[in-house]
Amino acid sequence: MDDLKKRKLDEAGNGEFASKEELRFLIEPLAKPQLVDLLAKLGSQYPSIAEEIKSIASADPAHRKLFVRGLAWNTTSETLRAAFQEHGEIEEGAVIYDKATGKSRGYGFITFKNMESTQQALRAPSKLIDGRLAVCNLACEGLSGTSSAPDLSLRKLYIGSLSPEVTSEMLLNYFLRHGEIEEGSVAYDKDTNESRGFGFVTYKTAESAKKAIDDLEKTLGGRNIIVKYADFNKGKTGQAPFPAGVVPMAALPMTPGYMQPGKAHVSSGPPINYSYPQTVAPYSAPPYPNHLPAPSPYSTQGQIPYPPVSAKKDQHGFPPTQPVGMNNYPYYYPKQ
């Protein structure tokens, strides 16, 4: 109340009070950074204004709701809420499960009652929950949280050839020697919850990631591990690019309707960009004058029948052997 009286006295000493419309007219041309500085200054000087700012800011749940990704498959809603209770009172918190299988989808949401708690949680976005380093950001930002920096490809590493005994906590502790880690975990199978033999580590700086790659000592869990940049272009990790000057050849498309090796022939219509010719009438040669047939260059010769010749028996009384293809039918020879 004393602050309010002081403000009234100061304003009364300087002149008449400005109306709401007059103040709005003065505020509208101001840029957002100017308004933010002005309200912050007034809020720090007058507690009533500070409470009003907090009340307006917390009214929208979008300013208080966190999206938490990278959760372990066995993390429950109770475990998730317990991990964030240190930042303030939680209004709602749950892990999202697949409706068909009933298994966790690896992420969840936390909604605080006050925006101050949300801001406090965002100051340390990485949090170890059930052996996995989960990461949170404002839900209104979706998946474009802290990892949306353009240099993510220089900060995220693929770790391969991991022993089945290596846990996410062991993986993070091993790579913490190179710098602060933003996100990282071992990849686990959704059905068996067993390690898939690889994982990912995302550093907060590209320099830390380069140190991890250049480190000659790469032994974890009794094995030599693979450490390289994660590949975002091919959807596969660690795929080496083509050498300079070499252009990869794309697979030639097979034209539908033609035989392909190892596949049954299936007629699927005419080839692409090809249309069959229209039906054309059969060609016929023009007739000779007076519609007479063409003269034959050779004269037709008739055939003269000859009587069959009786075969003589050999000395044993058998008829002579006939050549292959011969029979006893009469033969016709052309007339000489």
Side-chain angles (χ1 to χ4, degrees), residues 21-35:
E21 290 72 16
E22 291 175 340
L23 292 175
R24 183 184 295 275
F25 179 78
L26 295 174
I27 291 174
E28 284 182 349
L30 300 180
K32 182 178 179 180
Q34 293 175 308
L35 292 174

Side-chain angles (χ1 to χ4, degrees), residues 253-264:
M254 299 298 293
T255 303
Y258 288 92
M259 292 290 292
Q260 299 184 18
K263 295 184 180 180

Side-chain angles (χ1 to χ4, degrees), residues 118-287:
T118 306
Q119 294 300 319
Q120 184 180 349
L122 290 174
R123 293 190 185 101
S126 302
K127 188 179 294 294
L128 193 64
I129 306 175
D130 289 334
R132 296 280 295 273
L133 190 62
V135 180
C136 67
N137 57 270
L138 283 175
C140 59
E141 297 177 355
L143 292 174
S144 60
T146 54
S147 295
S148 63
D151 64 339
L152 178 61
S153 60
L154 300 177
R155 297 186 293 112
K156 187 170 184 178
L157 301 180
Y158 165 81
I159 317 299
S161 299
L162 292 177
S163 171
E165 290 76 22
V166 174
T167 63
S168 297
E169 191 171 358
M170 295 170 60
L171 179 70
L172 296 174
N173 291 333
Y174 179 83
F175 283 95
L176 272 173
R177 56 183 177 169
H178 302 298
E180 193 174 358
I181 295 176
E182 177 182 288
E183 184 179 4
S185 67
V186 174
Y188 292 94
D189 187 271
K190 291 184 179 181
D191 299 324
T192 63
N193 202 29
E194 296 179 353
S195 171
R196 299 179 62 185
F198 66 91
F200 297 93
V201 170
T202 303
Y203 284 97
K204 287 196 173 182
T205 63
E207 291 75 14
S208 300
K210 190 175 186 306
K211 288 180 182 178
I213 291 180
D214 295 340
D215 188 3
L216 299 179
E217 184 182 352
K218 295 183 177 68
T219 305
L220 177 61
R223 285 188 182 182
N224 291 329
I225 60 176
I226 300 172
V227 181
K228 52 188 172 184
Y229 291 112
D231 191 346
F232 295 90
N233 296 324
K234 300 297 182 181
K236 298 179 180 179
T237 55
Q239 182 173 354
F242 288 95
V246 178
V247 179
M249 294 185 63
L252 295 176
M254 299 298 293
T255 303
Y258 288 92
M259 292 290 292
Q260 299 184 18
K263 295 184 180 180
H265 174 70
V266 179
S267 178
S268 58
I272 299 175
N273 298 328
Y274 179 83
S275 59
Y276 289 107
Q278 301 295 328
T279 305
V280 180
Y283 173 79
S284 59

Side-chain angles (χ1 to χ4, degrees), residues 59-88:
D60 189 351
H63 300 154
R64 299 181 282 112
K65 189 172 185 179
L66 295 179
F67 171 70
V68 188
R69 66 182 186 276
L71 298 176
W73 305 120
N74 58 345
T75 297
T76 63
S77 299
E78 292 75 14
T79 308
L80 178 64
R81 288 193 295 267
F84 283 89
Q85 280 180 351
E86 59 177 318
H87 302 298

